């Protein structure tokens, strides 16, 4: 089937597509909400050790050191040397101006237990890592709609119990499944959205998904601001996801996926429904006439990727770029709580610049190709982060400048994140598209799993370079990825490739005969 011709013939971007995209928008929001949720539930406010503890005949008092108590001998406190008389603090008082309670404050994840904070973030990303592989394969095997339903059930089952959680061990397990649901919801809905619109609308649809993702981030900031308590925050989000589950019945399976696995009749039934909703005529002869073309795509599989040197090299290049983008993006997300001093201001700023980057991309992608825009975005993110790191080291009093540079870095990293989603789906054929997207996300999660520990690694250094080292690393990583991305082909104006041959020919110069003479041109399907 000539799918592009068919989807254009039945209304290209009609009422059916608009309705489905509106519904999918809530799924993108759910992913954004889940992703930023960790920032609030394990937020650590200012705290101090509860003072005036008496052990035996000795009274201990806390000082500026929040984690230790020192003996009060009536002559003052020795806060420089921790002698054998110094004891670890076991109870704390937390600042409740932002949150009345978080998981970190309820479970005292500070001092000796502070290492659980990056671990929870890492486990969340490990869930994303697992889901990137599992749900990518499941979506290509069982379909987009069933996979979306399964993922949403997982999200609900990982959110509702958080209202009752009292221990960090259970919290860790639930956040793992929360991470799985976050990436699974977005990736599956993203592919489905692209596969129901013609190529001319794929860029705007891809950006729409990212815009709704950032709207979800702003929504969770608003809900957190209103609730100010982590149990209630999680319950409100769980209720939202529960009602979202019923909206799955509002859209159909991807006809493009059905065609790729040889279910021609079911695909034609859905295409007929789309035509009816768009008030267009669906011509069965068009599908019957071109069905032989799709038979080539049906015969392809993921194993064929290793038979194509071009696509294999391209895949590894994409995997590296996903790792870099995820490391920088999530590193800035996890560090957003302390960006501007106030929790809600800092998270709002980070979410706002992300939303702004997607809006700007709507206008730039119409005139600029994927390749130059992606490469420039990831390199700009690297330069901004790299510079911010040295500002933190050499000009610590210029907080406004380092903050501004990090916001620029988040702006550029968000743009790169949005582009690489579209870019990846356009670089590979239908039968492996969602699997490659899943594997790319899987590689990306390796970087995002490392991001929390990269952030805290700087604080473990006694050198003054420690404060700026994490973002300097983010900058170097981004610049290398940007340079490697220059070897990828341009996909602007190209149809989504269905076969491996079409995937290999994207951006390549091929010879063809015109009036008996050899001419060279760019393949764009």
């Amino acid at each position: 089937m000539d799918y592009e011709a068919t989807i254009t013939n039945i209304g290209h971007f009609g009422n059916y597509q608009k309705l489905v995209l509106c519904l999918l928008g809530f799924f993108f929001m759910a992913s954004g909400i889940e992703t930023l949720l960790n920032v609030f539930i394990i937020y650590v406010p200012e705290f101090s050790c509860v003072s005036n503890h008496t052990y035996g005949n000795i009274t201990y008092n806390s000082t500026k050191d929040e984690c230790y108590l020192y003996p009060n001998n009536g002559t003052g406190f020795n806060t420089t040397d921790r002698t054998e008389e110094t004891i670890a603090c076991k109870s704390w008082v937390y600042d409740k101006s932002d949150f009345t309670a978080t998981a970190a404050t309820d479970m005292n994840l500070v001092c000796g237990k502070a290492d659980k904070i990056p671990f929870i973030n890492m486990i969340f990303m490990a869930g994303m890592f697992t889901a990137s592989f599992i749900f990518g394969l499941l979506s290509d095997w069982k379909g987009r709609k069933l996979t979306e339903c399964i993922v949403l059930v997982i999200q609900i089952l990982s959110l509702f119990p958080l209202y009752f959680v009292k221990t960090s061990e259970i919290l860790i397990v639930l956040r793992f499944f929360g991470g799985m649901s976050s990436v699974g919801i977005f990736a599956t809905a993203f592919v489905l959205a692209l596969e129901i619109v013609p190529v001319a609308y794929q860029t705007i649809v891809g950006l729409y998904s990212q815009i709704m993702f950032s709207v979800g981030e702003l929504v969770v900031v608003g809900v957190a601001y209103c609730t100010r308590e982590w149990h209630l925050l999680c319950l409100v989000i769980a209720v939202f996801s529960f009602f979202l589950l019923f909206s799955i019945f509002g859209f159909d399976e991807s006809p493009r996926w059905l065609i790729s696995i040889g279910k021609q009749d079911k695909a034609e039934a859905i295409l007929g429904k789309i035509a009816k909703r768009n008030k267009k005529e669906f011509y069965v002869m068009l599908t019957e006439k071109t069905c032989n073309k799709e038979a080539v795509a049906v015969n392809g599989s993921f194993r064929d990727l290793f038979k194509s040197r071009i696509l294999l090299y391209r895949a590894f290049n994409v995997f590296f770029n996903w790792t870099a983008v995820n490391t920088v993006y999530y590193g800035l997300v996890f560090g957003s709580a302390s960006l501007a001093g106030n929790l809600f201001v800092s998270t709002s700023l980070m979410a706002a610049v992300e939303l702004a980057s997607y809006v700007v991309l709507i206008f730039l992608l119409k005139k600029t190709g994927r390749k130059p825009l992606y490469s420039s975005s990831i390199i700009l993110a690297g330069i901004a982060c790299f510079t911010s790191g040295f500002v933190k080291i050499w000009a610590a009093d210029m907080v406004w400048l380092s903050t501004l540079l990090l916001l620029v870095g988040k702006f550029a990293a968000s743009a790169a994140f949005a582009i690489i989603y579209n870019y990846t789906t356009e670089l590979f054929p239908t039968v492996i598209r969602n699997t490659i997207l899943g594997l790319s996300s899987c590689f990306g999660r390796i970087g995002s799993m490392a991001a929390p520990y990269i952030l805290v690694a700087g604080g473990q250094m006694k050198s003054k370079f420690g404060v700026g080292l994490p973002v300097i690393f983010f900058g170097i990583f981004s610049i290398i990825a940007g340079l490697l991305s220059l070897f990828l082909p341009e996909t602007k104006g190209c149809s989504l490739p269905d076969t491996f041959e079409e995937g290999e020919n994207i951006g390549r110069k091929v010879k063809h005969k015109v009036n008996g003479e050899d001419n060279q041109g760019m393949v764009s399907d």
Side-chain angles (χ1 to χ4, degrees):
M1 177 187 293
D2 188 344
Y3 187 80
E4 292 296 332
T6 302
I7 203 70
T8 300
N9 179 63
I10 60 177
H12 53 89
F13 197 75
N15 294 331
Y16 178 89
Q17 283 86 352
K18 293 174 183 177
L19 174 62
V20 172
L21 288 173
C22 284
L23 292 175
L24 291 178
F26 291 103
F27 288 83
F28 299 132
M29 285 177 58
S31 179
I33 290 171
E34 184 75 68
T35 300
L36 199 60
L37 183 61
N38 264 19
V39 173
F40 296 102
I41 65 177
I42 56 175
Y43 170 65
V44 180
E46 294 291 329
F47 64 94
S48 61
C49 183
V50 175
S51 59
N52 297 322
H53 289 272
T54 300
Y55 296 91
N57 296 323
I58 302 177
T59 299
Y60 291 83
N61 290 80
S62 65
T63 63
K64 292 182 180 180
D65 190 335
E66 301 91 347
C67 298
Y68 292 91
L69 290 168
Y70 299 88
N72 182 356
N73 57 14
T75 61
F77 308 120
N78 179 9
T79 62
T80 303
D81 300 321
R82 295 177 181 173
T83 67
E84 64 278 0
E85 295 179 321
T86 302
I87 62 174
C89 184
K90 296 184 178 180
S91 59
W92 295 265
V93 177
Y94 297 94
D95 178 13
K96 297 184 178 181
S97 59
D98 289 332
F99 257 77
T100 58
T102 69
T105 61
D106 283 352
M107 302 172 189
N108 290 321
L109 302 181
V110 296
C111 297
K113 296 181 180 180
D115 58 342
K116 288 191 176 183
I117 298 295
F119 183 72
I120 291 172
N121 282 328
M122 187 273 288
I123 286 296
F124 181 81
M125 290 300 160
M128 286 187 165
F129 176 90
T130 305
S132 299
F133 184 74
I134 292 177
F135 294 129
L137 293 174
L138 183 62
S139 180
D140 281 340
W141 179 35
K142 292 296 184 180
R144 301 3 178 174
K145 186 175 180 179
L146 178 60
T147 301
E148 194 71 278
C149 183
I150 293 173
V151 174
L152 196 56
V153 170
I154 292 175
Q155 183 180 53
I156 295 170
L157 294 178
S158 68
L159 283 173
F160 266 118
L162 287 175
Y163 185 76
F164 308 99
V165 167
K166 301 296 182 181
T167 65
S168 60
E169 290 76 15
I170 298 177
L171 175 65
I172 289 170
V173 172
L174 292 175
R175 294 318 293 152
F176 174 82
F177 288 103
M180 288 186 66
S181 67
S182 177
V183 70
I185 286 175
F186 187 92
T188 306
F190 180 81
V191 172
L192 176 60
L194 288 187
E195 291 181 339
I196 62 171
V197 298
V199 64
Y201 293 90
Q202 286 167 1
T203 299
I204 191 68
V205 168
L207 289 175
Y208 164 76
S209 68
Q210 301 289 350
I211 288 173
M212 296 308 294
F213 178 91
S214 58
V215 168
E217 291 181 318
L218 290 171
V219 167
V220 74
V221 173
V223 175
Y225 181 81
C226 293
T227 58
R228 303 293 182 112
E229 202 277 332
W230 77 283
H231 289 104
L232 184 57
L233 170 62
C234 294
L235 181 62
V236 171
I237 296 172
V239 171
F240 169 75
S241 299
F242 178 76
F243 284 106
L244 188 60
L245 180 62
F246 295 98
S247 68
I248 291 180
F249 300 102
F251 54 84
D252 303 292
E253 182 55 84
S254 165
R256 187 161 203 154
W257 174 78
L258 290 170
I259 292 169
S260 72
I261 63 170
K263 295 185 178 181
Q264 199 80 16
D265 293 340
K266 290 185 178 181
E268 288 180 0
I270 294 175
L271 290 171
K273 178 181 178 180
I274 295 174
K276 184 177 180 180
R277 183 67 61 86
N278 291 341
K279 298 179 181 179
K280 297 289 184 178
E281 293 292 333
F282 175 58
Y283 299 100
V284 179
M285 288 298 296
L286 178 62
T287 64
E288 292 177 345
K289 179 179 178 181
T290 59
C291 64
N292 290 333
K293 179 181 177 181
E294 295 298 333
V296 177
V298 174
N299 293 330
S301 68
F302 179 73
R303 289 178 304 216
D304 293 328
L305 176 66
F306 298 94
K307 300 176 183 178
S308 171
R309 186 177 62 180
I310 294 173
L311 292 180
L312 187 60
Y313 287 170
R314 185 182 301 170
F316 280 112
N317 194 335
V318 168
F319 294 158
F320 184 87
N321 271 270
W322 270 80
T323 305
V325 170
N326 276 263
T327 301
V328 178
Y329 177 86
Y330 285 103
L332 295 176
V333 168
F334 292 142
S336 64
S338 58
L339 178 66
N342 179 274
L343 172 65
F344 301 108
V345 172
S346 59
T347 51
S348 296
L349 283 173
M350 280 294 192
V353 297
E354 181 172 349
L355 177 60
S357 72
Y358 301 146
V359 174
V360 171
L361 282 179
I362 292 177
F363 301 98
L364 291 181
L365 281 175
K366 291 181 179 180
K367 301 179 179 180
T368 310
R370 292 4 168 214
K371 178 179 175 178
L373 196 53
Y374 170 76
S375 299
S376 59
S377 294
I378 190 64
I379 291 174
L380 174 61
I383 294 174
C385 290
F386 187 82
T387 307
S388 177
F390 281 101
V391 171
K392 286 176 176 288
I393 295 171
W394 301 111
D397 56 327
M398 299 181 68
V399 179
W400 65 270
L401 180 57
S402 63
T403 299
L404 178 62
L405 287 169
L406 287 178
L407 288 174
V408 172
K410 179 63 184 306
F411 179 94
S414 298
F417 210 141
I419 298 168
I420 201 170
Y421 254 101
N422 280 61
Y423 202 13
T424 302
T425 58
E426 294 171 349
L427 287 170
F428 299 93
T430 300
V431 289
I432 63 167
R433 181 172 300 120
N434 212 39
T435 300
I436 289 292
L437 185 62
L439 286 173
S440 298
S441 185
C442 195
F443 273 89
R445 302 314 164 194
I446 295 175
S448 59
M449 288 168 64
Y453 287 100
I454 294 173
L455 287 173
V456 300
Q460 304 299 320
M461 295 182 61
K462 296 181 179 180
S463 169
K464 67 177 182 179
F465 291 97
V467 67
L469 185 62
V471 286
I472 290 175
F473 175 82
F474 293 156
I476 295 173
F477 202 6
S478 297
I479 293 172
I480 294 174
L483 295 176
L484 285 176
S485 69
L486 296 175
F487 293 95
L488 295 172
E490 177 57 65
T491 61
K492 183 183 179 182
C494 300
S495 299
L496 287 177
D498 287 316
T499 68
F500 277 84
E501 182 180 1
E502 291 172 352
E504 290 177 345
N505 287 334
I506 291 178
R508 293 178 62 191
K509 290 184 178 181
V510 297
K511 291 185 177 182
H512 56 277
K513 294 284 186 177
V514 178
N515 296 328
E517 298 181 0
D518 287 337
N519 288 273
Q520 287 190 335
M522 299 299 291
V523 174
S524 61
D525 297 326

